[in-house]
């Protein structure tokens, strides 16, 4: 009982640190201090969790290796689902881990948390290949059901998650951008080259908008608004296109909290929503 109370207090502390970090500017020295404190607390208290938390190395070949955090599901006798979580751009993996621990702990799933920079900035190496190595690592864990591994991309990593889910059929669920980042870039290129915004009719627009998400063979959750890269209006259009094509896609729109510093994303309910969806989609199917 005392252990559970201490764990709950520690997780609440991580949430408080995340809220404090969002109340200061990213270039404020205090932001770095808060992130460092989160990393220290994870190292100090992470080993006391019922779920084993460890820092691991993901190896793709003899020359490529990068760090990650692995949180086991907590019951070695049961093969549980797992989620590969990719931090947003300019965000460390440990910072994302500190935010997600309160939402994940006790859900009976494993997570592998990696940094956006570690999988997106290697010359000559596609992110898809590195993420497939992450999936190989997770699938090889004795407490993981290799048929129930999902991917979650934060911020710009939502586009990486879409591309990865489209390229690797083992992905069982994806929290991603649904291809809208690539769609926006393509639309901007067409507009720039033709100097016209209405060169494509609406039926063609609909097919192109949902072209990438049609390649995914798993359920999809698109996060729109807030600090993400997907606009709410485009996400709603994409969902309408996919519903017409009978594609399993849902939307999550983070709630915003008003504060003296401006609007702040309600990341607590946002994270709970995402992992409830993942828990449901990665559940056993009879």
């Amino acid at each position: 009982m005392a252990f559970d109370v201490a764990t709950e207090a520690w997780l609440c502390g991580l949430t408080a640190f995340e809220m404090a970090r969002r109340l200061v500017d990213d270039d404020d020295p205090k932001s770095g201090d808060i992130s460092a404190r989160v990393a220290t607390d994870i190292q100090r208290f992470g080993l006391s969790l019922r779920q084993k938390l460890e820092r691991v190395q993901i190896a793709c070949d003899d020359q490529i290796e990068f760090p990650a955090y692995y949180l086991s599901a907590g019951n070695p006798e049961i093969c549980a689902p797992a989620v590969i979580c990719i931090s947003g751009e300019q965000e460390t993996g440990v910072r994302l881990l500190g935010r997600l621990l309160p939402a994940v702990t006790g859900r009976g799933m494993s997570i592998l948390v990696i940094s956006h920079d570690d999988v997106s900035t290697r010359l000559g190496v596609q992110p898809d290949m590195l993420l497939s190595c992450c999936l190989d690592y997770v699938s090889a864990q004795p407490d993981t059901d290799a048929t129930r591994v999902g991917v979650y991309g934060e911020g710009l990593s939502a586009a990486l998650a879409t591309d990865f889910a489209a390229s690797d059929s083992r992905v069982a669920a994806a929290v991603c951008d649904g291809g809208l980042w690539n769609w926006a870039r393509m639309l901007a290129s067409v507009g720039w080259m033709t100097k016209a915004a209405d060169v494509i009719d609406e039926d063609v627009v609909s097919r192109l908008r949902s072209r990438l998400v049609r390649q995914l063979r798993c359920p999809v959750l698109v996060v729109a608004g807030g600090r993400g890269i997907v606009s709410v209006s485009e996400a709603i259009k994409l969902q309408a296109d996919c519903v017409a094509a009978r594609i399993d896609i849902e939307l999550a729109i983070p709630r915003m909290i008003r504060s003296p510093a401006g609007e702040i994303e309600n990341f607590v309910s946002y994270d709970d929503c995402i992992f409830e969806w993942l828990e449901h989609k990665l559940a056993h199917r009879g």
Side-chain angles (χ1 to χ4, degrees):
M1 182 67 178
F3 175 86
D4 292 336
V5 171
T7 299
E8 183 67 23
W10 176 62
L11 294 174
C12 288
L14 289 177
T15 300
F17 278 133
E18 177 63 19
M19 179 60 76
R21 188 187 66 77
R22 291 179 181 230
L23 289 172
V24 299
D25 294 331
D26 287 337
D27 55 356
D28 190 312
K30 293 180 181 178
S31 178
D33 293 343
I34 294 169
S35 296
R37 180 65 184 273
V38 169
T40 300
D41 283 355
I42 287 174
Q43 291 173 356
R44 182 180 301 169
F45 298 111
L47 294 177
S48 67
L49 289 171
R50 294 192 191 281
Q51 295 176 242
K52 183 180 179 182
L53 174 62
E54 56 186 330
R55 186 175 171 85
V56 301
Q57 292 291 321
I58 307 299
C60 284
D61 55 34
D62 293 335
Q63 317 224 312
I64 300 177
E65 192 175 72
F66 55 93
Y69 283 91
Y70 180 70
L71 177 73
S72 69
N75 188 344
E77 297 179 0
I78 299 176
C79 284
V83 181
I84 299 167
C85 305
I86 318 164
S87 76
E89 64 282 12
Q90 299 180 335
E91 179 183 39
T92 62
V94 72
R95 200 163 90 181
L96 177 63
L97 174 65
R99 200 191 86 207
L100 295 185
L101 275 173
V104 174
T105 301
R107 286 193 184 273
M109 65 170 60
S110 303
I111 61 169
L112 182 77
V113 180
I114 56 178
S115 166
H116 173 90
D117 288 347
D118 284 331
V119 294
S120 66
T121 59
R122 295 178 183 270
L123 292 176
V125 183
Q126 290 297 319
D128 296 350
M129 187 194 89
L130 300 175
L131 291 171
S132 287
C133 292
C134 292
L135 201 154
D136 291 340
Y137 176 88
V138 169
S139 298
Q141 301 309 304
D143 62 346
T144 297
D145 182 346
T147 67
R148 296 190 290 152
V149 179
V151 62
Y152 162 43
E154 174 83 1
L156 199 55
S157 292
L160 299 182
T162 301
D163 292 340
F164 173 48
S167 67
D168 196 320
S169 61
R170 296 176 295 170
V171 177
V175 180
C176 59
D177 79 327
L180 287 176
W181 178 252
N182 287 333
W183 157 251
R185 290 193 298 177
M186 184 196 76
L187 200 62
S189 296
V190 170
W192 180 78
M193 289 186 292
T194 63
K195 307 301 181 185
D198 55 349
V199 293
I200 312 176
D201 66 46
E202 188 52 42
D203 288 340
V204 175
V205 165
S206 177
R207 288 196 298 273
L208 289 174
R209 184 189 292 119
S210 59
R211 181 176 59 181
L212 185 53
V213 77
R214 289 169 188 266
Q215 299 174 30
L216 275 61
R217 294 171 286 279
C218 66
V220 174
L221 178 68
V222 173
V223 179
R227 292 159 60 103
I229 60 172
V230 177
S231 74
V232 173
S233 60
E234 281 300 308
I236 291 172
K237 292 174 186 176
L238 175 66
Q239 186 184 40
D241 296 339
C242 292
V243 167
R246 297 185 178 180
I247 297 171
D248 186 354
I249 185 172
E250 297 178 48
L251 299 186
I253 302 175
R255 297 176 182 175
M256 306 302 289
I257 304 171
R258 293 188 181 277
S259 78
E263 287 194 327
I264 302 174
E265 189 178 85
N266 186 343
F267 62 90
V268 176
S269 63
Y270 160 75
D271 292 335
D272 280 341
C273 171
I274 286 174
F275 280 92
E276 281 176 11
W277 182 87
L278 284 164
E279 192 174 15
H280 173 68
K281 293 300 181 181
L282 297 174
H284 276 301
R285 294 290 181 261

